[in-house]
Amino acid sequence: MRYLIDTNIFIYLSTDREGLHPDVLAMLSEPETLLYISTESVRELIVAYNSKGLGNKKWKTAEDMVRSIEETYYVEILPIQKEVMYTYSRLRINNSQNHRDPSDHVIISHAMTLKMPLISSDTRFDYYRKQGLDFIFNEK
């Protein structure tokens, strides 16, 4: 099975596996599972590394972190194609929960465009199911 993982899921996978629900961890660990991450998530990870010190004890540089996504964790980084931007342009935003994070919206659009289940710990993502998002919630 193919899954797109949200930024927070990669953080748990790489630095704090206890943040992953046992069912999600089992799903991610299955031998036939293929994991993907949006370029937008990688951008968020670089910002977090540079500004908040995310994983500074684990990686010497942000570039080392990016390299390890594919080489150590076997998560393929997916580019954002123009089709994703078309989906993003049509996405109805979850205003009822004040969900205004454009990075989240791009990641959601990426999953919807590729018809790939998205795994995240963000409760606000459930709103987008009615627009076609296949969402797997990681209950911490």
Side-chain angles (χ1 to χ4, degrees):
M1 184 71 177
R2 301 175 332 139
Y3 300 101
L4 186 69
I5 60 172
D6 191 16
T7 313
N8 59 64
I9 299 301
F10 179 76
I11 292 170
Y12 293 137
L13 188 63
S14 62
T15 64
D16 180 19
R17 287 186 174 240
E18 291 182 12
L20 294 170
H21 188 278
D23 292 343
V24 170
L25 184 57
M27 201 181 334
L28 298 176
S29 302
E30 290 178 10
E32 64 277 356
T33 295
L34 300 173
L35 299 179
Y36 299 89
I37 193 166
S38 175
T39 302
E40 185 65 18
S41 288
V42 176
R43 188 197 61 77
E44 286 186 316
L45 290 165
I46 292 167
V47 169
Y49 183 92
N50 289 334
S51 64
K52 300 174 190 165
L54 169 72
N56 278 350
K57 294 177 183 168
K58 191 169 191 79
W59 300 289
K60 293 180 181 176
T61 66
E63 185 176 347
D64 288 341
M65 179 188 61
V66 172
R67 189 173 293 107
S68 77
I69 292 170
E70 291 188 322
E71 294 177 3
T72 303
Y73 297 98
Y74 306 104
V75 177
E76 185 175 337
I77 300 170
L78 296 177
I80 299 171
Q81 310 91 343
K82 67 180 173 183
E83 291 80 10
V84 173
M85 291 294 100
Y86 289 131
T87 303
Y88 178 50
S89 71
R90 293 187 303 268
L91 194 68
R92 291 182 312 281
I93 305 305
N94 181 357
N95 290 318
S96 64
Q97 291 180 303
N98 200 29
H99 187 214
R100 301 195 184 280
D101 184 337
S103 290
D104 284 353
H105 300 150
V106 170
I107 294 163
I108 289 164
S109 298
H110 212 159
M112 289 170 56
T113 302
L114 298 176
K115 298 180 181 6
M116 199 179 292
L118 174 61
I119 304 173
S120 178
S121 298
D122 193 324
T123 58
R124 298 171 297 179
F125 285 20
D126 194 55
Y127 171 87
Y128 300 93
R129 286 181 194 261
K130 57 188 164 196
Q131 295 180 61
L133 178 65
D134 186 354
F135 177 55
I136 299 170
F137 179 62
N138 176 59
E139 187 174 349
K140 299 185 266 181

